[in-house]
Amino acid sequence: MGATEAVTDANFASDVLQSDTPVLVDFWAEWCGPCRKVDTLLEEIASEMGDKVRIVKLNIDENPETTRAYRVMSAPTLTMFKGGEPVQSIVGARPKSDLVKLIETAL
């Protein structure tokens, strides 16, 4: 473990909703500057906490079904899923400590 993975509309249900492990979904976009900042932090967190949580990225421009289903209006939106349900979300670039706290809400 230890790296973020990409998910799509096609595999969101199997990779996120049916996961036995809590999953942090990064709803991001190519054009989003704050998304790039968060991406670096998520890679660090994935290498540190990869045994407890999966971190996945969903491009909101390429995957409109899932983006619409979870009412994602801004990028980045980070949503923690546990047992197939969204537990908590934060919007916008945040410090690493806030991202770790978000993950810990589902552990």
Side-chain angles (χ1 to χ4, degrees):
M1 292 246 149
T4 60
E5 308 164 43
V7 294
T8 64
D9 285 345
N11 65 6
F12 189 83
S14 62
D15 286 7
V16 176
L17 303 181
Q18 296 170 8
S19 176
D20 293 333
T21 306
V23 182
L24 176 62
V25 179
D26 174 16
F27 293 93
W28 71 284
E30 210 54 65
W31 46 263
C32 168
C35 294
R36 286 190 283 280
K37 291 180 184 171
V38 168
D39 185 50
T40 305
L41 298 175
L42 292 177
E43 289 292 339
E44 284 178 27
I45 293 168
S47 66
E48 294 165 6
M49 300 180 76
D51 55 331
K52 298 179 198 152
V53 65
R54 288 182 60 220
I55 300 176
V56 301
K57 301 171 64 60
L58 183 123
N59 184 314
I60 61 174
D61 293 328
E62 296 173 0
N63 299 282
E65 288 176 33
T66 305
T67 301
R68 236 185 337 271
Y70 291 97
R71 294 184 170 91
V72 174
M73 300 294 185
S74 299
T77 295
L78 297 125
T79 303
M80 201 63 220
F81 285 81
K82 184 174 185 180
E85 296 294 323
V87 177
Q88 188 175 350
S89 291
I90 56 176
V91 177
R94 299 288 181 88
K96 183 177 176 180
S97 60
D98 287 2
L99 302 178
V100 170
K101 282 182 199 159
L102 175 67
I103 291 167
E104 288 173 345
T105 62
L107 297 181

